[in-house]
Each structure stands twice: as C-alpha cells, then as structure tokens.
Amino acid sequence: MKVRLPRRALAIGSALALTFGLAACSGGDQGGGEAGDTIVAETAFNLKTIDPHRQFEFTGSTIDTAIYQTALEFKDGDLTKPTDGLCSFEMSEDDKKMTLKLKQKDAKFSSGDPVTMDDVVFSFERLKGIKGNPSFFLDGVSIKKVDEETVELTSKKPNPALPYILPNASIGIVNSKVVKENEGTTDEKDGAEAFLNENSQGSGPYKVEKYDADSQVVLTANEHYNGPEPKYKRVVLRNVSAETQLTDIQSGQAQVAYDLNSEQAKQIDGSMGEIASLPSTRSLYIFNNTDEKLGGPAADPNFRKAVMSAIDYDKLTDLAGEGSQRMASLVPNEFVGAVPKDQAPEKDLAKTKKLLKKAGYDGEKIPFHYSSDQSVNGVDLAQLAETLQAQLKEAGINLALKPAPSSTQLDGFRSAKQPMGIGTWGADYPDPTNYNVFIPGGSVADRVNWKSDPKLKKLAAEAEKAKDSDRDAAYAKLYKATTDTGVWIPLVQPVNTVAVGSSINTYVSNADITFDFAKAE
C-alpha cells in the first residue's frame, strides 16, 4: 500500500492552510447594525432543535459545536486522529473497552458549575435513552462510572470506531443537575428539549441567547469557558437563501455565508472577503440494482464496469467546482480507510466497448433515478444526471432520466426497485465502519438487492480484526474491492464552500469545524 501523505496532509493542514490573514479593515461596525464584537453568519436553516442529544442536522450541529464541549476532539481538523477533549482516553487491546479520564478539570458550564464525570455519564445515558436520531452512536455500549475522574464504556463487540464517534456535537456534555431540574431524564420520558433550546447547558465558548428555528439563533459568550476568550462575544446565525447570503457578504451585512455554490463564490473578490474551500464529507455515486429482473443491464458486472469506464470524471469535478475531488471509493479522501485517489476509475472508451460486448448490451434505455430538487454542496443533481446521460450516450449507453422530488426519490430508492440512479451519502462519523452499510447485507446494499459477495465478506472480516494503523490499509482494500464490483460507482467528492467577510482578519475553518466562531478575530 502506498504511503498516502497527500490525504493525511490535507486533513492535518486544513486548519493551517485555511487560517487566513484577511485584508485589514475597520474594527468598528460589523454590518447589519450589529456592534463590532458580533459575527453575523447566514445559512439556509436545516434546524429542528439544538438539544444536543436530539439534533442531527447541519445547522443544529454548527450551533452545538459552539455551545458544547465533547469528551474527545479532532485537533486541527485531522479526522484521522481523535484526541483528548474534556477527557483523555485509552482503548483496551480487544477494542471492547474505552477508559475515559477527566482531563479538563477546570471546565465549567455556562451556569458556573464544574463539569464532572457524573455529567459525562448522564449525557451518554441520555443520548442512548431518549431515542433521538443520534442515539445509535452508542448502540451496544454500556456506561459505568468507576470513580470521580473515570468512566468506562464497554461494547459487546470490538468497537474501534468509538473514538471517532465521541467528538460528534450530538454527544455534547450537558449540565446534568440543571437538565434534570428541567424534566431531563435518560429515557423516552425526557422533557428537556424545549428548555435546552432556550437555555443551553454546555461548557463551550458560547451559550444560547435566543432560539427561533425559523429565523435566527443568537449566541453569546460563555463567561465561564475555560479556553481563550472569544473576540466576538455575540454570534447571530440567520436563516436566509444563498442569493441573500451572497448579497449580504458583498455589502458587509454578514461576515460568514455557508451556502454559496461555486459560481456565487466567484463573485466574492478580495475587497469583500475570502472563500474557504473545504473537503465535504458527502459522497456522490451511481447505484446499480443487482437483481436481474429489476436492474436489467445494470445487474450485469460487465455493464456496470462499462459505465464506470465511460464517465469523464474530470468534467464532474469541474461541475462540482474548485476544490472538489476524485474518489476511488465512497469513503471521503480525508478518512481512515479511504482508497488513494490515484486508484480512482478512469475514462477508457475502448474498454467500455469491450465490456458492453461482453454484457450483451444492445442500447436499450435504462431508467435512471435521481432527486430533481436536491443540491449537494452546490452540485445540482439534475445537472449531474444530464451530464452523465450525455457522457454515457457518447459510449453507446442510453439512460432514460427519471427525476423526482427528494422525498419521493428516497422512498423509491429504499424500495429496492430502481435499476440505476444517483445516490448521496453524508458521513455520520469519520470512520470507515460508517460505510459498512454499503457492503452486501448492509442497509444500503439492501436497496440494490446486494445480498452476498464471499470476497467482500472475507475482506470485511479482516478489516474488522485490524488494529490501530493497520485499519487504514485493511479498509482501503475492502472498499477498493467494493468499487471494483461497479455496484456503486463513486463520482465526485464535492467541496464545502464558506465565504468569510473582510471585516474578519483571521479565522479557522477545517474538515471538523466549518467555521470556528470562537477563534475568529
């Protein structure tokens, strides 16, 4: 296996490379009538709650990252190496037990109460017990307080992914005393969500001042935070369209915009601010149904490989915008277990022609399904589908486009009756085990009726047994073999674009935290 320094260097260097020194300007008014110690950030809200143990959407995670500290962290955005957060950690030799030791003994909640291991235990138990969207993170994990500074997490099976899971904002540590006083429990009777939306109980650099899931959320500095005091004492996160975000960045009415596509980003010049292009953790791919009656030609391995060799991947990265990347598997390039980009599929029409002949394909139209109203990090899936249709037609492969609204398309994909189409996947946590759902027998593999593959089963068992640094190569081998089947054809890893206004002199933006409000100056 090649040494993959480019991938690791990108992950580690993302915070450094994207900690920009911007053009200096007045330190006074920040735009929009806000005072100079306020950041106005804008996004199209995907927000249902900021109760950390219930939220599972981008906007909620963005907010909770600023409010709550976690047991573990990713230093400088390096998603390949979990590090100490509120706690230090050790894994047992068999990866079944994690021992957490309280490390930040000076950490305090916004109430001034110290963070204790009782709070850590309660937070973990509440995450599991209330059965919210992120509760699966600790499935099969038991929690035991050993003493005032030690907690043990024990898994029924080896769980080397656990250190990669605990940094998630959905596992933020809450003030157990206050939450319990406001109907908080560790079972489905919990009634603290409304309280936590209005009265956050974290130990991070900010706390919530105002919560309106439809219009804006306002954060103010946590005076008891044990880290460096944020320069910007107030954060106003507003719910507006990408078009308004562009206008507001250009005029100075906002300092951060999350949703600009590549064309909009080009309209930001040096006098207005900077563009941070970050690796997205989303994967775009073609799925092929393996059931001959449902998939038709797509069920034939030779046809699938013909499709893979007929695509012009460089044009897809052009479509996705500057900073987007080729993918050799569905695992993002910054993760442990990613297949090196130099092993990604390549366009080869001579190969396509031979494979189509082997498959016996005679040009019949194949239904090709996708979400007509969905854009992933600026990549319009309708435009992507039309691009693929044109490219494959050049190779003699005919797609019959079948657009549908996102909800309808997702239901159709889950029904396992669609022959081909475009799929998307966003990582729940940066560990290759999050992609086991694509292996035969996994929940997503079921959507293409892929029930078994002895070779992949063997490689998956080997990867599960791999330890420490050996996991990287073992999972890369598994997912390279998965790509080779053509059941999933990786298309492009899009780019996550953040626009930062020129009134901010320096900032940190990386693969872990899209924009760190507390470190902006």
Side-chain angles (χ1 to χ4, degrees):
M1 180 64 65
K2 283 188 173 182
V3 176
R4 306 215 298 279
L5 287 178
R7 176 175 66 82
R8 185 173 293 276
L10 175 59
I12 295 174
S14 55
L16 305 178
L18 296 173
T19 303
F20 292 102
L22 305 185
C25 64
S26 169
D29 187 82
Q30 293 291 326
E34 303 292 344
D37 65 350
T38 297
I39 289 179
V40 176
E42 296 183 336
T43 186
F45 275 14
N46 182 10
L47 177 63
K48 295 180 179 179
T49 180
I50 56 172
D51 178 339
H53 307 143
R54 284 190 168 88
Q55 68 83 10
F56 206 55
E57 293 77 34
F58 173 77
T59 308
S61 180
T62 298
I63 294 167
D64 281 348
T65 296
I67 293 175
Y68 294 94
Q69 291 179 296
T70 48
L72 304 182
E73 300 175 354
F74 291 112
K75 186 177 180 181
D76 297 332
D78 181 4
L79 301 181
T80 69
K81 188 178 180 181
T83 61
D84 299 345
L86 284 170
C87 303
S88 62
F89 75 102
E90 288 185 4
M91 294 294 292
S92 63
E93 185 65 26
D94 62 3
D95 285 329
K96 291 184 178 181
K97 182 180 290 186
M98 171 187 278
T99 302
L100 295 172
K101 291 279 189 179
L102 184 62
K103 183 173 183 178
Q104 296 189 35
K105 299 177 183 179
D106 60 342
K108 292 183 178 180
F109 294 108
S110 53
S111 64
D113 294 334
V115 177
T116 70
M117 286 313 240
D118 288 326
D119 300 308
V120 173
V121 170
F122 175 81
S123 299
F124 291 168
E125 294 283 12
R126 182 171 185 265
L127 174 83
K128 289 182 59 179
I130 64 177
K131 304 299 182 184
N133 285 330
S135 66
F136 73 94
F137 281 140
L138 295 180
D139 278 352
V141 178
S142 62
I143 300 123
K144 176 184 176 183
K145 178 183 174 183
V146 177
D147 55 43
E148 296 304 316
E149 295 186 359
T150 310
V151 166
E152 288 180 350
L153 304 182
T154 304
S155 302
K156 296 178 181 178
K157 296 168 49 178
N159 193 358
L162 195 54
Y164 297 84
I165 293 172
L166 292 190
N168 195 288
S170 291
I171 317 181
I173 306 304
V174 301
N175 187 330
S176 58
K177 181 182 72 173
V178 176
V179 173
K180 288 176 182 177
E181 290 172 351
N182 289 274
E183 301 182 44
T185 67
T186 56
D187 56 28
E188 293 179 83
K189 296 179 181 179
D190 177 86
E193 179 180 5
F195 172 76
L196 286 169
N197 283 338
E198 302 285 347
N199 304 274
S200 58
Q201 293 297 312
S203 57
Y206 292 95
K207 59 184 178 181
V208 67
E209 177 184 282
K210 177 184 178 182
Y211 174 82
D212 186 327
D214 296 320
S215 60
Q216 72 175 20
V217 176
V218 180
L219 308 178
T220 56
N222 171 14
E223 61 183 313
H224 299 290
Y225 177 53
N226 66 334
E229 182 180 358
K231 176 181 177 180
Y232 291 95
K233 306 297 189 298
R234 198 163 181 262
V235 176
V236 178
L237 188 64
R238 300 199 294 218
N239 180 21
V240 299
S241 67
E243 291 78 9
T244 301
Q245 293 173 43
L246 174 61
T247 301
D248 287 351
I249 285 287
Q250 290 173 325
S251 65
Q253 297 297 301
Q255 288 71 54
V256 182
Y258 286 97
D259 302 319
L260 303 188
N261 61 34
S262 58
E263 291 303 312
Q264 290 169 325
K266 291 176 183 177
Q267 299 180 51
I268 304 295
D269 62 34
S271 67
M272 303 169 188
E274 292 273 359
I275 297 296
S277 294
L278 311 172
S280 169
T281 58
R282 302 291 293 274
S283 307
L284 302 180
Y285 60 89
I286 289 175
F287 63 84
N288 292 286
N289 202 313
T290 64
D291 185 307
E292 292 183 6
K293 293 181 180 180
L294 297 169
D300 187 291
N302 289 308
F303 176 84
R304 298 195 297 258
K305 293 173 185 178
V307 172
M308 200 179 327
S309 64
I311 296 170
D312 188 333
Y313 297 93
D314 289 336
K315 288 187 178 179
L316 298 188
T317 57
D318 289 342
L319 177 66
E322 185 177 356
S324 61
Q325 303 179 67
R326 295 288 310 280
M327 301 187 78
S329 73
L330 299 189
V331 181
N333 292 303
E334 292 69 43
F335 289 14
V336 168
V339 182
K341 287 185 287 186
D342 60 9
Q343 297 181 31
E346 297 286 353
K347 182 179 179 179
D348 185 341
L349 293 183
K351 181 179 180 180
T352 302
K353 185 176 180 180
K354 293 178 181 178
L355 288 166
L356 289 178
K357 186 176 181 179
K358 285 184 179 180
Y361 176 71
D362 60 5
E364 65 264 36
K365 288 188 176 182
I366 304 169
F368 192 78
H369 298 262
Y370 60 93
S371 298
S372 58
D373 58 354
Q374 185 179 3
S375 180
V376 177
N377 293 122
V379 180
D380 186 302
L381 297 192
Q383 185 179 6
L384 177 60
E386 292 166 2
T387 300
L388 290 169
Q389 182 189 45
Q391 290 185 2
L392 296 183
K393 186 175 182 179
E394 178 187 353
I397 300 170
N398 295 309
L399 300 182
L401 299 187
K402 300 293 182 180
S406 297
S407 58
T408 303
Q409 166 54 20
L410 182 57
D411 288 341
F413 183 33
R414 287 172 173 167
S415 75
K417 296 179 180 179
Q418 295 180 343
M420 286 183 74
I422 296 174
T424 70
W425 182 262
D428 298 312
Y429 51 89
D431 187 78
T433 56
N434 194 222
Y435 293 81
N436 285 345
V437 292
F438 290 95
I439 302 301
S443 59
V444 183
D446 285 345
R447 299 174 187 178
V448 293
N449 297 293
W450 199 16
K451 304 301 182 183
S452 66
D453 187 309
K455 178 182 178 181
L456 295 184
K457 183 178 180 180
K458 180 181 178 182
L459 290 175
E462 292 174 355
E464 184 176 343
K465 293 177 182 177
K467 300 286 187 181
D468 303 322
S469 59
D470 292 338
R471 298 181 72 237
D472 195 7
Y475 275 101
K477 186 176 181 180
L478 167 64
Y479 289 116
K480 176 62 169 65
T482 303
T483 297
D484 289 344
T485 67
V487 174
W488 318 107
I489 301 176
L491 297 175
V492 64
Q493 181 179 343
V495 64
N496 191 15
T497 298
V498 183
V500 183
S502 58
S503 58
I504 294 178
N505 296 314
T506 61
Y507 64 92
V508 171
S509 187
N510 59 45
D512 180 34
I513 300 177
T514 308
F515 185 89
D516 194 330
F517 298 117
K519 294 181 180 178
E521 297 181 0

